Every structure is written in structure tokens, then in C-alpha cells.
Amino acid sequence: MEQDDAYLPPSTPDHPTPGQTTAGLTLVATPIGNLGDLSPRAASALAEARAVLCEDTRVTSRLLARHSISATMIALHDHNEESEAPRLVSRMLAGERFALVSDAGTPLVSDPGYRLVRAAIAAGVTVTSVPGPSAVIMALTLSGLPPHPFLFHGFLPPKAVARAAEIARLRGMEAAGLSAALVFYEAPHRTGEALAALAEGLSADRPACVARELTKRFEEVRRGSLGELAAHYTAHEVRGEVVLCVGPAPPPAVPSAETLDEALKAAMATLSVRDAAATVAEATGLPRKRVYARALELAAGR
Ligand code: SAM
């Protein structure tokens, strides 16, 4: 694709180009560290909006100044989003276009904006987006881990007990068959303890990656097992912003014929042949038909 093609206006009315006066809401991704990462289309969307809705006007005013954009700003954050959404939606219905940004990256991704987007969609307002940086995608694509499917978790709970419970919940999902790379945002001072909790709750051998200070001067991507990374980041002070990626759970080991028989006999002690086969098939990942056939053989004394 020619470079210019990237900026050709999409043609459907649901995807207005910044510059059009169409009413609605444009989610605008902003840099995650390097202010040079604001795209030309993002700059136009900010310059041409009736107002820029932002988490922190001080942060956004630095970005706007760096790109010589003059725009009205309206603070929209976790504490006022619910109450402000109806008023903003009414203004959009009356013909105004707003741009929504967060302090960094893609709005709504571990950031405010969801409640406004939901209210706008419910009111029939056109919602579009100028996509761009997001730490989750940059970390995942640099991690060297299989990138899909992936589960973006956002922040783990900061307190140890709640964090361990959340990791146990993820482990339970994996035991039930989830096999996906896991991505977490984390505060720098909790990086070591979060990695240690993941190593304990998932497995110290799981391949993982810590992506730090992405797009900035001290960008660092460190790969290793959860155990190795936990040891490293517990021993070294962590500065800046951090994303943790964990490789998918390994597929369950295929049980031997003896193990299958033992599991079936134990299950058939309390369940019908059919239910025992279903339970064992679920637990082992073996095909239901095959397990049921073996259960019938065992029930017949073979
Ligand atoms: N909306 C943003 C996005 O799209 O990535 C994320 C906002 S969230 C409140 C902030 C967290 O994102 C940080 O604590 C860190 O985990 C991650 N993050 C943001 N910028 C980063 C960067 N440059 N390097 C590494 N992690 C970053």
C-alpha cells in the first residue's frame, strides 16, 4: 500500500474521517511514551473536534502543545464519566463531535471511556476510532510468545491475597481448557512480587516476558521463565512502566491406558457409565467417544 493510501478517507458513514463535521465520538489513540507516535490522522481528529475529552488536562495539554494543536479540553475520568456521559451524548446528538483520549495509548484499555462509549452507542451516536499505540499489543508482539489467542487481563489486584485468588481463577480457566498467552499491566514497584505470584500460581517454568518503558529511551524487553524473571525483578529495582506477558498453558499430558482405566474405575464407582465417561473425557481432554467405549469395556469386565 502506498503511504498516502493509509490516509484515504474510508467511505462508509460509520467511519467518518477527521475533518468531516459529522457529529459523534472519535476515540483517539495517543503515544505510550514517545510523543512522535501521534499519527497524522490522530492529530487531525484532535484539532478538529469540538472538544477533547481527556483523563488529565495537564497530560493532554503537553501532547497538544508538542503538536501545535489548539483544542478545548474537558476532563473526563473515572470519577465523573458516569455523570457527564448523558450531557456529552446530548451534545453529540445535537451535532457536536468530540475526541476521547486517555493519558497514554488507546482509550478504554485499562483506562476510562467505556461508560461514555456505551452511552453513545445506546443513543445511536456514531462512534469511530483513530487507532494507534497500545502497550498490550506492543508488549505481546515483542514477547516472542505465541500471540494468539491472548487474554488481556489488565492490572492484577495489588494486595497479595486477592492477587493469588485471581491467579488461581486463571489457573482454573486453564485447567478447564483455556490455552492463551496472558497479558497483565503492572506497577513498577509490584513487578517482582507479581511475577513471583504468577510463578507460584501458574508454574515457574512458564515462558514469560517483561516489557518495560516501551517506545522510550530505556525500553527493555526481558524474556525468560516466570521463575527467572521473578528472581531478576525481585533483586533489581524496577522503574518506569511495565507489561507482563506469560506464554499459554502447555497442553495437558496425554494419560496412559493405565491412568485412563484408573480414572474411569474411580468415576464409575459413583457415577453411571455415561456420566463417568463424560467426566473423565473432560478432565483428560481425550475424545468422549473413545473414553465412553473404554468405559463400556470396563463395565463388561474387559
Ligand atoms: N491505555 C493504555 C494502553 O493502551 O496501553 C494503558 C493505560 S494503563 C492505565 C497504564 C499501564 O499500561 C501502565 O501501568 C503499564 O502497565 C502499561 N503501559 C503504558 N505505557 C507503557 C509503556 N510505555 N511501556 C510499558 N508499559 C506501558
Side-chain angles (χ1 to χ4, degrees), residues 29-32 104-107 109 132-140 152 185 214 243:
T30 60
I32 55 170
T106 299
V109 178
S134 190
V136 47
I137 297 300
M138 182 162 173
L140 183 67
F152 173 60
Y185 284 166
L214 296 171
V243 182

Side-chain angles (χ1 to χ4, degrees), residues 25-32 46 51-64 72-81 84 88 99-116 133 155 185 241:
L25 178 64
T26 306
L27 316 182
V28 180
T30 60
I32 55 170
L46 297 177
V52 177
L53 313 175
C54 53
E55 256 189 295
D56 184 335
T57 52
R58 289 163 305 178
V59 174
T60 300
S61 61
R62 277 200 292 279
L63 177 74
L64 296 177
T72 304
M73 284 178 284
I74 298 175
L76 191 79
H77 39 69
D78 278 336
H79 305 295
N80 72 350
E81 185 182 350
E84 284 301 311
L88 292 166
L100 173 73
V101 300
S102 59
D103 284 352
T106 299
L108 278 76
V109 178
S110 286
D111 270 336
Y114 168 66
R115 286 167 288 193
L116 178 64
F155 290 94
Y185 284 166
E241 299 191 279

Side-chain angles (χ1 to χ4, degrees), residues 132-193:
S134 190
V136 47
I137 297 300
M138 182 162 173
L140 183 67
T141 50
L142 293 181
S143 68
L145 299 167
H148 47 78
F150 76 92
L151 185 155
F152 173 60
H153 185 283
F155 290 94
L156 282 165
K159 298 236 167 72
V161 173
R163 180 170 53 215
E166 187 60 18
I167 293 170
R169 203 172 68 86
L170 289 168
R171 181 72 202 104
M173 288 159 68
E174 290 182 337
L178 173 75
S179 179
L182 310 175
V183 187
F184 305 90
Y185 284 166
E186 193 47 275
H189 59 281
R190 279 194 288 268
T191 300
E193 57 185 88

Side-chain angles (χ1 to χ4, degrees), residues 3 12 95 113 127 154 156 159 187 195 209-210 231-232 237 239 272 278:
Q3 178 72 9
T12 67
V127 182
L156 282 165
K159 298 236 167 72
L195 285 164
C209 158
V210 175
H232 177 86
E237 188 195 354
R239 295 213 179 133
S272 67

